[in-house]
Amino acid sequence: MFEVLFSHILDKVSLTVEEMDIIKSFFSHKVLRKRQYLLQEGDVCKYMSFVGKGLLRSYNIDEKGDEHMIVFAWEGWWISDISSFSSGEKAVFNIDAIEDSELLMITPADFEALTLKVPIMDRYFRILFQNSLVTKERRLMSSITHTAEEKYTQLAERNPEIIQRIPQNLIASYLGLAPETLSRIKKNLASRK
Amino acid sequence: MFEVLFSHILDKVSLTVEEMDIIKSFFSHKVLRKRQYLLQEGDVCKYMSFVGKGLLRSYNIDEKGDEHMIVFAWEGWWISDISSFSSGEKAVFNIDAIEDSELLMITPADFEALTLKVPIMDRYFRILFQNSLVTKERRLMSSITHTAEEKYTQLAERNPEIIQRIPQNLIASYLGLAPETLSRIKKNLASRK
DNA sequence: AATCACGCTTGATCCAGATCAAGTTTATTT
DNA sequence: AAATAAACTTGATCTGGATCAAGCGTGATT
């Protein structure tokens, strides 16, 4: 489990063996079965979780009961309601497992302690959040400026793994489309060439 | 100029006088007149800029020539095309001044050097990006799940300064709405109570 | 192997917000 | 202070994608 985490961290910064031991000590391990919740709206988000294995999603549910996907996270990605995690306020998102998964989790207090004890982790997370910001900015632009079809083809180019791995109705929700619309788009694209 | 920057940094982390001197040495100062460009699409974004005074916007322009606002930044905020800034690839965004402005700017190489020399700056930017991520996530959700009117009223609640300070057509673009639509929404809201 | 449930498709209709087209008001520039 | 150009409003019309409704596969569950 930790190999996945360390290989991910070592991609961005270097660590001594001692630092790796300290890091280990701050994380707890958790197994989640398909469909199991990691976080429910209204609870406080007590963890930032690194996915070592499996696939999770975060989403929120509007007044009409419709789900809106925020993020998918598989091996090598982090998932959390950062807003709730950093502020201690109630989460507005739900997180659950799409596939059986294994996680490494850290609490806000331990996150704070970890970055103070191993300052290079601030750098790691700085880089992580910086990259994440780029992704979010692109998605936001795409959602504002593109047609439904463009959104889908862009996602397919930029994130082929999502297309392969995630059920179509969840992809539709991720793109802010009705499932029927996505179905029709795929039909059109297929027939057109 | 630097007082604004330091007060912003000291809000999140503490600095010694020596560190402050090092930080100073990495930034250059720039004055921008209203409507002047800081970055044009297609150029490489050579700076991350801290706004000490004034107001800027970043936006992109689609094939039809329509502008889409990404961010507004005034005193105490950063502005950049981070994607281009971090990768050295061509920028997809434009940045220009809405009001006469003064900036403190840092290049990618100096940004790297600064974080290595003053590691606590990694922490500062980690926190900055983390907060920024929360904001982006909220905006994305809002753009996917809400009606035009909800988007506007939420913005008005969460970001009253934008409403007061920014021309209405730019706000419309920021929300992904036609200017006519925003005009009608405001009319409705006003008449309704 | 039959039933059930869920995800996907296809068709018909509807609507929020875009677009087009004038005006009007408010800032800039000369 | 006149001229010009932005920014905003109001009305009429149009449309991409949502919604509603029904049927179709395919893989779980008994």
Side-chain angles (χ1 to χ4, degrees), chain B:
Chain B
M1 192 77 336
F2 275 107
E3 324 78 67
V4 193
L5 176 59
F6 286 130
S7 100
H8 194 253
I9 297 177
L10 291 169
D11 239 42
K12 302 193 163 55
V13 299
S14 43
L15 294 175
T16 65
V17 194
E18 299 77 49
E19 285 171 331
M20 288 168 82
D21 283 337
I22 302 176
I23 292 170
K24 274 187 187 169
S25 74
F26 280 112
F27 282 89
S28 57
H29 180 262
K30 179 158 191 161
V31 172
L32 262 198
R33 305 297 302 280
K34 188 172 173 169
R35 250 161 247 174
Q36 202 178 332
Y37 279 103
L38 182 60
L39 171 70
Q40 291 198 56
E41 188 180 341
D43 294 349
V44 172
C45 180
K46 296 204 197 65
Y47 304 99
M48 238 178 87
S49 308
F50 179 83
V51 185
K53 193 170 155 302
L55 173 61
L56 293 90
R57 60 174 182 154
S58 71
Y59 57 100
N60 84 341
I61 301 183
D62 65 24
E63 324 76 53
K64 278 181 277 167
D66 294 342
E67 296 179 352
H68 304 275
M69 296 308 124
I70 294 148
V71 152
F72 300 112
W74 53 79
E75 298 80 21
W77 295 88
W78 291 86
I79 194 160
S80 179
D81 179 333
I82 346 164
S83 172
S84 170
F85 179 85
S86 354
S87 69
E89 286 163 21
K90 287 180 180 177
V92 293
F93 298 156
N94 300 271
I95 303 179
D96 64 23
I98 299 180
E99 302 173 1
D100 291 351
S101 303
E102 281 184 64
L103 307 173
L104 291 171
M105 310 196 304
I106 188 166
T107 65
D110 283 345
F111 181 82
E112 178 70 10
L114 170 62
T115 54
L116 294 174
K117 255 199 179 163
V118 185
I120 198 146
M121 288 305 282
D122 268 328
R123 184 176 179 84
Y124 166 73
F125 285 111
R126 190 266 290 165
I127 296 171
L128 185 77
F129 292 150
Q130 188 174 338
N131 292 342
S132 204
L133 219 41
V134 171
T135 311
K136 286 263 149 55
E137 216 152 64
R138 290 215 179 113
R139 192 170 154 210
L140 184 60
M141 266 310 92
S142 179
S143 116
I144 289 180
T145 71
H146 294 134
T147 63
E149 185 177 310
E150 287 164 346
K151 286 178 206 177
Y152 177 75
T153 50
Q154 264 208 9
L155 181 70
E157 274 167 35
R158 295 216 267 237
N159 252 321
E161 193 158 1
I162 289 190
I163 308 292
Q164 291 151 22
R165 199 158 169 184
I166 313 247
Q168 195 171 308
N169 59 337
L170 300 187
I171 295 177
S173 159
Y174 183 77
L175 294 172
L177 303 176
E180 295 93 331
T181 304
L182 184 52
S183 174
R184 285 185 249 264
I185 285 169
K186 290 184 77 174
K187 191 187 170 189
N188 279 343
L189 287 173
S191 76
R192 206 179 309 158
K193 59 139 203 64

Side-chain angles (χ1 to χ4, degrees), chain A residues 72-91:
Chain A
F72 300 113
W74 54 78
E75 297 81 19
W77 295 88
W78 291 86
I79 194 160
S80 180
D81 179 334
I82 346 164
S83 172
S84 169
F85 179 84
S86 354
S87 70
E89 286 163 21
K90 286 180 180 178

Side-chain angles (χ1 to χ4, degrees), chain A residues 110-123:
Chain A
D110 282 345
F111 182 81
E112 178 71 9
L114 170 62
T115 54
L116 293 175
K117 254 199 181 166
V118 186
I120 198 145
M121 289 305 281
D122 268 328
R123 184 176 180 84

